């Protein structure tokens, strides 16, 4: 597995240089350039939304900095949490005087670094709350949601928190809505082939010609269980069944994210979505604003994830509110 | 015998040197059930520590402080953050005092407790913590580098062995408890490799 | 190499079902459902822009149906030209009484089918012109441009022709501008790994761990010459040099498309763009509206192409004019 | 001897049957320098032709017309379009008349010329046209299925052989003229395989 890169040690910084060159709405900031923030100044009086995470997932995380989404994002090396400095800087740069929501995925490294950053900033009097993405149903039972990993569904929480903050909601309200969005989101992934870290000699795992991994994460880690390659429809059916079993619908509307992990042709994502849509319709669910594409990747991993976001009026309004970043525009 | 800044700096040099051989093996161990970056991450962390010139510190505490800051800025991974956090704790614990090799057991124990508090893992979860716990015990009563080195290497080998067939309960691999039976934990493996390097002149 | 699909025979139709379900601005039409058209009715009095081509390239071709871009698109099987019926239907459905520009890539099958369709429609009195994408510099010398394949740069011609038609230009003018856009566009591709057709047993070619293909097309065909894997910067340098040698800049502005062929992480496209941008700056060229992403793919092929679009005032205005389709929004 | 609708239908049946074995070999031949779809495309084209029930036609011309329409709707690839276009031409040429096996040489020649006009290739470009040209020549003076079959198979083998080491000048492979030396053209290979199938009962 080859990579089109220079020195692996510069992979992240070179990618960020290209990203900000291509998208002037994004700027590198922070002592090591490991914060992406909106190019325009922080808006005073607005709750700041900060995320962070490792690299290798573009457009996640930092690609979602923009109007109605994130204010800043701290950036780690490939598949490593962002360091303490970048977390501190991301928080400071998002500070508009109304407090900060830290909204990121449930991973040990990320948590420790955001926690330490928070402790170090205590003196500065920036109020911070935390909501963790925990949408991956494969990584823990329904009774241990706090154990679950955050994967593609995190962007629904971005969208809702961002919309609320943009509309002037205060920190407690933004936090409540982000937590509600996470609580209403479920994701499951399937992997067909692994990816390779820039500094690693080999792909992160090997799969036989007829094997797939179910319950895959977004870091090249293997799936929770291995299965045989089946028709896309059968895979879709299993995914939707598991998702609906984990969080039975309470309303009649869901948004669906059929997300490519990096190397899955759009054609195949649409084939998958077609069946997901059918299964949801059979379950009496109406699909609102389906998202099909590479929203959260794992470099060149082959596979896809399906996320369901169960909507009520409040969440639907936030989901449909205008937003704009280089990789996602709503309204 | 006193633990000196020079000894710390020499330890970093040895560890940094050892990473050349350890990198891909640790990546591969982490790739089994994790994200495959333990080795390359540590190369960067320890490389950063070496570049921070601990030799130029005027005290053991300052040396640990330099290592902590270098580690913190090099990564945000679980292991790296815990590792750098431990250095910070050592810097605090050794502030304004001289340190003896005989103190090392207690210091490693304090680092272990700090990492436990930070990362939320428990002893027995099959993480680097279990390695540190074993090391703290093994260092008890050891009063110089030679004794400490031998005891440390023995303890590391024994602990790897003892945990190999137990299930992992923390870190990315916790989602694969059953599959982790029979596999070394990458954090423990890293720690063992580094202890070996520290104990061996090269 | 695995594919997340059902019966290969249904690959294209299932993907089109998913595409139109997800994007209600697009509709399947034609006797076999192999035309994608805008959901709203054809605008009378506007020149129609019709494209067509094989499947396996999404977002190309049919993903670019939309405001300020294409009106209709005929769709072939994977890597096969669209059949005569779908070409005829696409032309009829785009007819707003002001004539039709047929704008597609220079491939034998596509040409024959559009030609036959044109002959069969002669009686119906729909005026048709043709402009062929020929941007791939690897597939012919500068003295035999009519031999060259059309690859990713075709979207620049879509954009310019679409903007002109939207603004009310007549057929001759739209045709002139499309031809001018093609004449000002140059592309070169690099491949790191091949793709697999849904119905094929094997990937279309094999590359050694240290080999890359330069001058790659978008159909899984091998590159024109094989090279050894080099740092991304060296690849970028070679690409830019070749592109500028083929069409020396006459103005000071270019648009750049750094296009992923399917399985190249966005990170790596940005790393490539960073260097391309630098080389262009060194050549005194200012980059306008850079496009970085998967705009024209070859299923799960790993690699990228770089396109340069040399701008003058007229072309720049058309490039920056508002446009909107599911995969590209300008303005 | 007269060329009958039944013979055409039987030919399609044989060709369709033969595609099962030919598909992946033709894909692989096309993948060498093209896009690897020749075999799967022909499976669809000939499958469509078989499904069009040429047997039910009331004349040879109508049978060819059915095949043409089925082929046209099954693909837009170069080879498939040329192939279906040739059928359309045969339908026109045989309109309102009976056809004899002795006419076949002239009909194949006419198809060849039509394909040349449509696709812009020349004889000698190493395409399916060269195969048709050889076939037209070989069929000259053959008055029944058996004679035509034998002559056709011989000509196909000979022509493959004769062109193998020449460079390709048309189709996707034209960009690799030099590399194409030593490789069979997938269109010629397909045609040869089909001629063989037509000549052999199964
Ligand atoms: N919460 C934790 N407490 C203690 N040790 C941990 C914890 N999480 C991970 N580890 C250790 O870190 C190792 C993995 O390190 P690393 O690859 O840097 O992690 P990641 O890539 O998951 O951020 C594990 O093998 C384990 O020993
Ligand atoms: N213009 C042409 N004239 C005659 N034969 C052609 C022409 N183009 C292609 N062919 C034949 O078609 C074969 C390829 O068929 P196919 O795989 O269907 O084409 P593609 O995938 O390029 O549309 C070639 O091997 C050649 O024999
Ligand atoms: Mg990691
Ligand atoms: Mg790891
Ligand atoms: Mg083809
Ligand atoms: Mg082909």
């Amino acid at each position: 597995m080859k990579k089109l890169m220079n020195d692996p040690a510069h992979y992240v910084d070179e990618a960020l240089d290209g990203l900000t060159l291509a998208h002037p709405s994004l700027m590198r900031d922070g002592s090591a350039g490991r914060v992406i923030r909106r190019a325009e100044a922080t808006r005073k009086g607005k709750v700041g939304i900060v995320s962070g995470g490792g690299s290798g997932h573009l457009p996640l995380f930092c690609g979602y900095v923009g109007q109605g989404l994130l204010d800043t994002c701290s950036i780690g090396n490939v598949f490593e949490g962002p360091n303490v400095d970048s977390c501190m800087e991301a928080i400071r740069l998002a500070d508009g005087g109304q407090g900060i929501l830290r909204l990121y995925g449930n991973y040990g490294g990320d948590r420790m670094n955001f926690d330490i950053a928070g402790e170090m900033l205590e003196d500065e009097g920036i109020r911070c709350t935390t909501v963790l993405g925990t949408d991956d149903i494969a990584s823990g039972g329904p009774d241990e949601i706090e154990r679950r990993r955050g994967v593609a569904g995190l962007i629904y929480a971005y969208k809702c928190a961002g919309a609320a903050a943009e509309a002037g909601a205060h920190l407690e309200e933004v936090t409540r809505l982000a937590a509600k969005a996470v609580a209403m989101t479920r994701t499951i992934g399937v992997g067909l082939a692994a990816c390779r870290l820039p500094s690693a000699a080999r792909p992160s795992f090997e799969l036989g010609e007829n094997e797939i991994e179910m319950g895959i994460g977004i870091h090249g880690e293997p799936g929770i269980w291995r299965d045989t390659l089946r028709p896309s429809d059968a895979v879709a059916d299993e995914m939707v069944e598991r998702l609906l079993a984990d969080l039975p619908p309470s309303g009649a509307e869901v948004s669906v994210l059929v997300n490519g992990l990096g190397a899955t042709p759009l054609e195949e994502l649409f084939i998958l979505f077609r069946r997901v849509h059918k299964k949801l319709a059979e379950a009496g669910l109406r699909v609102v604003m389906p998202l099909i594409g590479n929203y959260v990747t794992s470099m060149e991993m082959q596979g896809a994830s399906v996320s369901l976001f169960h909507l009520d009026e409040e969440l639907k309004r936030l989901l449909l509110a205008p937003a704009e970043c280089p990789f996602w525009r709503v309204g | 015998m006193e633990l000196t800044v020079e000894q710390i700096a020499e330890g970093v040099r040895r560890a940094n040197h050892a990473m050349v051989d350890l990198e891909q093996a640790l990546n591969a161990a982490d790739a089994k059930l994790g994200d495959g970056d333990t080795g390359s991450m540590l190369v960067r962390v320890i490389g950063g520590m070496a570049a921070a010139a601990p030799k130029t510190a005027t005290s053991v505490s300052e040396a640990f402080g330099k290592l902590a800051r270098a580690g913190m800025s090099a990564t945000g991974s679980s292991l790296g953050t815990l590792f750098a956090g431990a250095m910070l704790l050592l810097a605090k614990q050794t502030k304004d005092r001289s340190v003896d090799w005989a103190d090392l057991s207690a210091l490693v124990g304090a680092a272990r407790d700090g990492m436990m508090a930070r990362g939320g893992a428990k002893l027995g979860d099959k993480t680097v913590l279990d390695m540190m716990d074993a090391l703290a015990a093994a260092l008890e009563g050891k009063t110089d580098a030679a004794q400490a080195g031998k005891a440390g290497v023995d303890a590391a080998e024994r602990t790897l062995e003892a945990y190999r067939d137990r299930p992992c309960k923390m870190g990315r691999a916790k989602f694969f408890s059953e599959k982790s039976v029979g596999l070394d934990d990458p954090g423990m493996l890293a720690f063992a490799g580094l202890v070996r390097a520290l104990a061996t002149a090269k």
Side-chain angles (χ1 to χ4, degrees), chain A, chain B:
Chain A
M1 193 173 285
K2 280 161 278 187
K3 299 190 81 72
L4 201 51
M5 63 177 182
N6 300 299
D7 185 340
H10 303 147
Y11 190 87
V12 173
D13 290 298
E14 290 180 355
L16 293 177
D17 277 344
L19 173 74
T20 48
L21 261 177
H23 299 289
S25 69
L26 304 180
M27 264 187 63
R28 293 187 74 174
D29 206 328
S31 49
R34 287 303 186 89
V35 177
I36 290 287
R37 66 165 175 88
R38 301 201 207 175
E40 77 264 19
T42 307
R43 218 169 84 211
K44 290 290 156 208
K46 189 182 93 63
V47 169
I49 316 275
V50 175
S51 193
S55 295
H57 306 293
L58 279 180
L60 197 73
F61 297 86
C62 63
Y64 293 103
V65 167
Q67 183 84 10
L69 290 158
L70 306 177
D71 292 288
T72 62
C73 184
S74 55
I75 294 150
N77 293 304
V78 176
F79 297 170
E80 289 178 22
N83 70 12
V84 173
D85 285 344
S86 65
C87 291
M88 287 174 58
E89 292 160 343
I91 292 171
R92 281 202 197 101
L93 286 165
D95 181 26
Q98 293 301 311
I100 299 288
L101 168 64
R102 294 175 295 195
L103 180 55
Y104 59 94
N106 186 25
Y107 295 97
D110 306 59
R111 288 178 65 163
M112 292 182 219
N113 282 275
F114 267 112
D115 287 350
I116 301 174
E119 291 161 23
M120 298 184 74
L121 286 174
E122 263 163 25
D123 300 345
E124 300 185 16
I126 303 180
R127 268 190 314 150
C128 287
T129 59
T130 299
V131 172
L132 298 177
T134 55
D135 52 315
D136 175 28
I137 64 167
S139 52
D143 52 332
E144 42 179 8
I145 288 191
E146 72 295 340
R147 230 174 90 101
R148 289 181 172 175
R149 303 178 290 209
V151 289
L154 183 60
I155 68 165
Y156 283 123
Y158 283 179
K159 183 68 189 66
C160 294
E166 208 72 47
H170 54 71
L171 181 59
E172 286 64 37
E173 178 69 356
V174 172
T175 306
R176 178 184 74 80
L177 289 164
K180 182 175 170 186
V182 168
M184 289 295 126
T185 304
R186 293 293 183 280
T187 300
I188 187 163
V190 58
L192 276 67
C195 57
R196 203 196 99 193
L197 275 99
S199 53
R202 258 177 302 278
S204 52
F205 60 88
E206 303 276 355
L207 276 177
E209 255 315 296
N210 280 311
E211 287 174 332
I212 58 175
E213 298 268 351
M214 289 294 288
I216 203 95
I218 56 168
H219 298 89
E221 61 273 67
I224 306 288
W225 67 100
R226 197 161 277 200
D227 212 328
T228 50
L229 183 61
R230 284 169 296 152
S232 175
D233 283 359
V235 174
D237 290 355
E238 178 179 347
M239 292 173 106
V240 172
E241 271 159 35
R242 285 183 184 269
L243 291 170
L244 291 180
D246 199 87
L247 183 65
S250 53
E253 294 187 320
V254 283
S255 179
V256 181
L257 165 60
V258 176
N259 176 58
L261 293 174
T264 304
L266 261 181
E267 283 80 359
E268 292 168 35
L269 297 182
F270 283 122
I271 290 172
L272 193 64
F273 170 65
R274 176 194 123 274
R275 181 69 170 203
V276 167
H277 190 280
K278 182 165 184 289
K279 294 298 285 183
L280 292 173
E282 283 169 15
L285 289 165
R286 199 163 48 250
V287 172
V288 174
M289 200 170 90
L291 303 169
I292 290 89
N294 292 354
Y295 286 82
V296 173
T297 64
S298 194
M299 290 196 291
E300 64 279 296
M301 177 170 279
Q302 227 192 337
S305 65
V306 175
S307 305
L308 296 188
F309 179 34
H310 295 268
L311 298 173
D312 61 9
E313 279 312 307
E314 183 174 59
L315 293 174
K316 184 176 172 184
R317 200 169 18 80
L318 295 167
L319 179 65
L320 298 179
E324 181 166 2
C325 71
F327 304 95
W328 194 14
R329 187 149 139 179
V330 181
Chain B
M1 268 228 310
E2 200 180 328
L3 175 70
T4 65
V5 165
E6 288 69 35
Q7 285 173 323
I8 294 175
E10 170 62 12
V12 171
R13 201 191 61 77
R14 289 185 190 177
N16 193 28
H17 208 270
M19 282 313 300
V20 177
D21 291 335
L22 287 172
E23 177 174 4
Q24 294 300 338
L26 293 176
N27 282 348
D30 188 31
K32 290 240 167 68
L33 302 173
D35 59 355
D37 61 356
T38 307
S40 299
M41 182 277 295
L42 280 176
V43 163
R44 231 173 327 96
V45 167
I46 298 177
M49 290 180 168
K55 214 186 195 139
T56 63
T58 56
S59 71
V60 164
S61 171
E62 191 191 327
F64 281 131
K66 275 178 184 283
L67 300 185
R69 279 190 300 279
M72 289 266 178
S73 78
T75 190
S77 77
S78 326
L79 185 61
T81 304
L82 287 169
F83 194 35
M87 296 288 165
L88 194 62
L89 204 132
L90 294 182
K92 281 186 190 155
Q93 297 258 340
T94 57
K95 192 144 185 95
D96 299 328
R97 69 172 176 105
S98 76
V99 184
D100 201 276
W101 279 87
D103 303 331
L104 213 57
S105 170
L107 287 173
V108 171
R112 171 203 61 208
D113 295 344
M115 288 161 83
M116 218 173 323
R118 174 59 67 202
K122 291 187 295 294
L123 289 180
D125 281 356
K126 193 176 180 177
T127 70
V128 68
L129 291 182
D130 296 305
M131 203 45 119
M132 297 193 61
D133 186 56
L135 192 65
L139 292 179
E140 221 167 308
K142 305 300 178 291
T143 55
D144 65 20
Q147 289 177 12
K150 195 183 157 336
V153 170
D154 284 355
E157 300 293 352
R158 245 186 302 113
T159 311
L160 266 185
E161 197 105 342
Y163 274 88
R164 189 164 299 136
D165 288 336
R166 296 175 59 168
C168 166
K169 303 233 170 97
M170 187 45 86
R172 287 179 203 277
K174 72 180 171 207
F175 305 118
F176 310 92
S177 275
E178 283 158 51
K179 286 195 214 163
S180 72
V181 171
L183 299 177
D184 290 326
D185 172 70
M188 293 177 79
L189 209 55
F191 210 85
L194 292 175
V195 167
R196 212 176 295 117
L198 294 182
T200 327
K202 226 195 197 151

